[in-house]
Amino acid sequence: STSIETISRVYGAQAVVISIDPKRVYLRTAEECVVGHVVVELAATQAGPDGECFCWYQCTVKGGREERDICAVTVAKAAEALGAGEIMLNCIDMDGQCNGFDHALMTAVSDAVNIPVIASSGAGKEQHFADVFKSTNVQAALAAGMFHRKEVEIESVKKCMASNGIPSRTWSRPAN
């Protein structure tokens, strides 16, 4: 059995979070894609460098430095079938850009699986969190850089989400 199956069986699916680091492979037409890869149609604002309106999401390793000829949607579905409890989806193309999450990727994966998907890579302002929850079926979203650099406060993200009708966990500092 695989490590995913073993950990899921022994500790439960909630203990298995699979991190997938895909990047876009742009296509002029959906038909140009290799069989077995899930093709995603892109919004006009997300078109490729040469105006491509389609892509598939290629898995990468080593922090996005090496590509593999396998589709992120396929990997997510396989991980779920093996017993994974969540998918953390890090879009290599959006990482560090601060322009928002890759909604096409988040939608493709969250619509293909029945386990929670965590959106990662791309957040740069409070509204990006509200946008990803409104536009996709992800169950969580994360960011690091914007908080570490103190460009955005966590509390301001929670306020933005609340003003958009999106609940989040609250926390109160214990009284001394």
Side-chain angles (χ1 to χ4, degrees):
S1 75
T2 68
S3 56
I4 294 172
E5 292 167 308
T6 301
I7 295 167
S8 184
R9 185 180 68 254
V10 173
Y11 298 103
Q14 80 286 347
V16 184
V17 180
I18 302 300
S19 179
I20 304 173
D21 299 340
K23 63 185 281 188
R24 289 180 177 180
V25 175
Y26 291 103
L27 308 165
R28 286 183 301 282
T29 66
E31 294 73 29
E32 144 182 16
C33 189
V34 174
V35 174
H37 299 320
V38 175
V39 176
V40 175
E41 186 169 3
L42 300 169
T45 57
Q46 294 292 306
D50 295 319
E52 301 93 342
C53 296
F54 299 92
C55 76
W56 67 278
Y57 287 92
Q58 181 177 42
C59 287
T60 68
V61 296
K62 299 183 180 179
R65 291 184 302 276
E66 292 182 17
E67 295 97 9
R68 297 294 186 260
D69 188 24
I70 187 165
C71 174
V73 176
T74 302
V75 169
K77 289 167 69 172
E80 177 184 34
L82 291 171
E86 293 182 16
I87 302 293
M88 186 170 74
L89 205 47
N90 310 294
C91 182
I92 295 299
D93 301 297
M94 302 300 274
D95 196 32
Q97 301 300 308
C98 299
N99 293 322
F101 298 99
D102 186 328
H103 292 200
L105 171 62
M106 300 307 154
T107 297
V109 173
S110 64
D111 287 355
V113 298
N114 295 305
I115 57 177
V117 173
I118 305 164
S120 178
S121 299
K125 61 183 182 180
E126 297 89 339
Q127 190 62 41
H128 291 154
F129 287 86
D131 292 345
V132 77
F133 286 115
K134 285 183 187 176
S135 300
T136 75
N137 290 319
V138 300
Q139 287 77 32
L142 66 86
M146 67 184 217
F147 297 128
H148 295 305
R149 293 185 299 271
K150 300 194 183 296
E151 296 166 348
V152 176
E153 294 295 325
I154 293 171
E155 193 57 37
S156 67
V157 171
K158 291 182 179 225
K159 285 179 183 175
C160 178
M161 288 179 41
S163 72
N164 281 275
I166 302 165
S168 65
R169 283 191 224 162
T170 58
W171 178 80
S172 298
R173 191 173 300 278
N176 291 345

